[in-house]
Amino acid sequence: MTILDLRPLLDNRDITAREILDDIYRRIDAVEDRVKAFITITKDEAYQMAKEAQDAIISTRMSLLTGIPIAVKDNMCTKGILTTCASKILNNFVPPYESTVTGKLKNQQYCLVGKTNLDEFAMGSSTENSGFHTSRNPWDLFCVPGGSSGGSAAAVAAGECIAAIGSDTGGSIRQPASLCGVVGLKPTYGRVSRYGLVAFASSLDQIGPITKNVSDAAAMLTVIAGHDHLDSTSAPVATSDYAGALGKDIKSLRIGIPKEFFIEGIDKDVREAVNAAIRKIESLGATVIEVSLPHTAYAIATYYILATSEASSNLGRYDGVKYGYRESGKDLIEMYMNTRAKGFGSEVKRRIMLGTYALSSGYYDAYYKKAQQVRTLIRRDFDNAFKEVDVIVTPTSPTPAFKIGEKATDPLQMYLSDIFTISVNLAGAPGISIPCGFTRDNLPVGLQIIGKHFDEETVLKTAYAYEQSTEWHLRRPPL
Ligand code: GLN
């Protein structure tokens, strides 16, 4: 069931928050040893929250998420609850404060099911970079769930929560949503507060929902969106009731198909499913127009300069002093070095080295500054395209879920997983991934819909219209 299915049942007291939670934990007991979506399961906290939720319902003080079991990616600070970022360096970090987003969920008396697995510090596309374990794709347990929010996407797909929260720096909500056959929404940069989200690349990171359908994504965005004075990059822009945008027809909409995105190397089944989805959207009355995003070819290179530069700076704080994990050494410098050598995994170290190099004097102009300039060109590509169209439609990922281990030894191959999502982060625009078909091997395929800055409404409206005319989102994995 979805959030919006459960809401009336809870409010009419046909079911209690505790009963829903019982069901969720029964499901976790049945499948979690195969899916491994979670790092920490917060059963005691969840039942306490369910009790508070039920009290709120009894006294008719309920909100949208009251009593709804939700999983949260383990890079968001939850006060008093272990928050690891799937890194050994934070393996005993218990935050003394709550992130703004989880605080908003708490204000509505949600139930925290647990903290989900990710690639260490959200660096990756498969959860194989997790410092603890690899999560598995509920549709094929030999395949990755995608990443970095792979735990959140797998938990939603496997029915281990009703909905989840993820974060997206270059695709980490949309790509795992695509690979797990669920809905993932990355809002406009600045739409949702990053306060309490452990920083990876601050100019790209954005929090968003992973849900079973578009209505739930719209509902969750309504709860988590909004300006926050605790995040200086959060935008003082009005939000709306996103669920209210759904159900309007899309007849006057212009849909852009960027010619640079339909490249060689897209899996044949993915291409067919996406093409069929575009025809479907056209049949609903929208006009399909070819557009050009000419700097697309530079997106991956630009992203990996900027993201690693920001990461190398953000990760400077993990020194064995301010946070939990520490290795000893004969003096302070050796303690720092031992802590970071043992605490970080190899992908994180690779990025710290790349970023430090790109920022070093003598190379700064050639790499970091140049990448910032190209980022502006990429953003302008989108601005220009959006003069002609209302949304842009692409595949979310060039391939369906790949086998665990298949790309783990080849970082460059792994980086290509986000080729269709990364430029959206560079531009700061909103994007959603929704299910649009299955491959011959019964693996889900995702369709990406990209919108203008702060126009999540049109993105959601288009996604909803497509979803309502298909049944892909109703399929469940054969676990
Ligand atoms: N896969 C991309 C990376 O490894 C994006 C990750 C993300 O969005 N957090 O950086």
Side-chain angles (χ1 to χ4, degrees), residues 18 36 85 113 156 189 195 200 238-239 284 339 355 357 438 442:
R18 191 190 171 92
K36 294 169 172 265
C85 283
V113 177
V156 174
Y189 183 78
Y195 179 74
F200 159 16
T239 62
L284 298 173
T339 297
Y357 181 80
F438 284 82
N442 202 34

Side-chain angles (χ1 to χ4, degrees), residues 119 122-126 128-129 147 170-172 175 200 299-305 307-308 311 346-355 396-399 402 406-423:
D119 291 291
M123 297 174 185
S125 307
S126 68
E128 291 165 294
N129 296 337
S172 280
Q175 186 258 17
F200 159 16
I300 296 242
T302 304
Y303 171 89
Y304 278 98
I305 300 283
T308 58
S346 54
E347 180 63 24
V348 175
K349 287 178 190 163
R350 174 156 42 237
R351 294 190 186 208
I352 291 172
M353 287 192 284
L354 277 169
T396 305
S397 163
T399 66
F402 44 90
E406 192 181 318
K407 301 185 184 181
T409 54
D410 185 348
L412 289 181
Q413 204 44 44
M414 190 71 91
Y415 294 172
L416 291 177
S417 291
D418 292 303
I419 190 156
F420 299 139
T421 48
I422 265 175
S423 49

Side-chain angles (χ1 to χ4, degrees), residues 103-216:
K104 287 185 172 194
L105 303 182
K106 252 182 140 167
N107 286 341
Q108 297 214 336
Q109 283 99 17
Y110 87 125
C111 300
L112 174 65
V113 177
K115 303 290 295 285
T116 56
N117 195 25
L118 61 151
D119 291 291
E120 185 176 0
F121 285 102
M123 297 174 185
S125 307
S126 68
T127 79
E128 291 165 294
N129 296 337
S130 166
F132 302 131
H133 60 261
T134 300
S135 300
R136 290 161 184 275
N137 191 309
W139 291 91
D140 178 344
L141 295 167
F142 292 103
C143 287
V144 302
S148 65
S149 313
S152 285
V156 174
E160 297 179 275
C161 57
I162 302 302
I165 292 283
S167 69
D168 190 313
T169 305
S172 280
I173 289 175
R174 290 158 289 159
Q175 186 258 17
S178 169
L179 271 47
C180 289
V182 294
V183 172
L185 171 66
K186 182 199 91 73
T188 309
Y189 183 78
R191 174 62 91 195
V192 176
S193 171
R194 293 183 298 108
Y195 179 74
L197 167 67
V198 179
F200 159 16
S202 314
S203 78
L204 299 156
D205 299 339
Q206 187 61 194
I207 298 175
I210 299 181
T211 57
K212 291 176 186 168
N213 66 17
V214 175
S215 308
D216 273 9

